[in-house]
Amino acid sequence: MWNRFGEAWQKRLAKEIHQQFKKQGIVDKFLEGIDQYWQETATAFEKGADAVEAKCKESLKHLHEITSPDTQSKERIEEIIINLEKLRVFFANIPWDTQGECL
């Protein structure tokens, strides 16, 4: 059946599709969408990298604080341990069922 119509109908169809795309600006919209996608991707990556960097700096600050030879650091660690012990006692006193659900 395709042999009857030959290649002419395919070329006409391709030209018509091309004209409609051009008329409606589909190619430009498509390219704008691609540009916007990559701009948003770069922005999201930068925000994620900034968040990781902030967490890393916070972690380094905390490590410096707890490893400092300063006596204030020792007192801070003791304070953290006391607070953690209070949390442990608090959670130990919550009635839990066998599936780990709070009663």
Side-chain angles (χ1 to χ4, degrees), residues 47-57:
K47 285 183 181 180
D50 290 345
V52 169
E53 182 181 16
K55 281 287 192 184
C56 185
K57 285 181 179 179

Side-chain angles (χ1 to χ4, degrees), residues 86-96:
K86 287 178 184 177
L87 281 172
R88 188 193 64 75
V89 169
F90 172 79
F91 284 109
N93 288 328
I94 295 176
W96 303 96

Side-chain angles (χ1 to χ4, degrees), residues 6 10 13 19 25-28 32 59 67 76 78 80-81 88 90-91 99:
Q10 295 167 335
L13 178 62
Q19 288 299 323
I26 291 176
V27 172
D28 292 334
E32 287 172 12
S59 180
T67 58
R76 176 75 178 125
E78 288 172 348
I80 291 170
I81 291 171
R88 188 193 64 75
F90 172 79
F91 284 109
Q99 283 82 27

Side-chain angles (χ1 to χ4, degrees), residues 23-93:
K23 187 183 203 181
Q24 296 176 18
I26 291 176
V27 172
D28 292 334
K29 290 176 186 176
F30 183 70
L31 293 174
E32 287 172 12
I34 291 171
D35 288 342
Q36 182 180 356
Y37 171 81
W38 285 113
Q39 288 172 358
E40 290 173 359
T41 300
T43 302
F45 180 81
E46 288 174 10
K47 285 183 181 180
D50 290 345
V52 169
E53 182 181 16
K55 281 287 192 184
C56 185
K57 285 181 179 179
E58 183 181 314
S59 180
L60 287 174
K61 181 181 174 187
H62 177 71
L63 288 173
H64 177 71
E65 180 182 300
I66 64 173
T67 58
S68 172
D70 196 3
T71 57
Q72 185 181 18
S73 175
K74 180 183 173 193
E75 292 166 354
R76 176 75 178 125
I77 292 172
E78 288 172 348
E79 179 184 330
I80 291 170
I81 291 171
I82 289 169
N83 288 334
L84 289 172
E85 179 61 23
K86 287 178 184 177
L87 281 172
R88 188 193 64 75
V89 169
F90 172 79
F91 284 109
N93 288 328

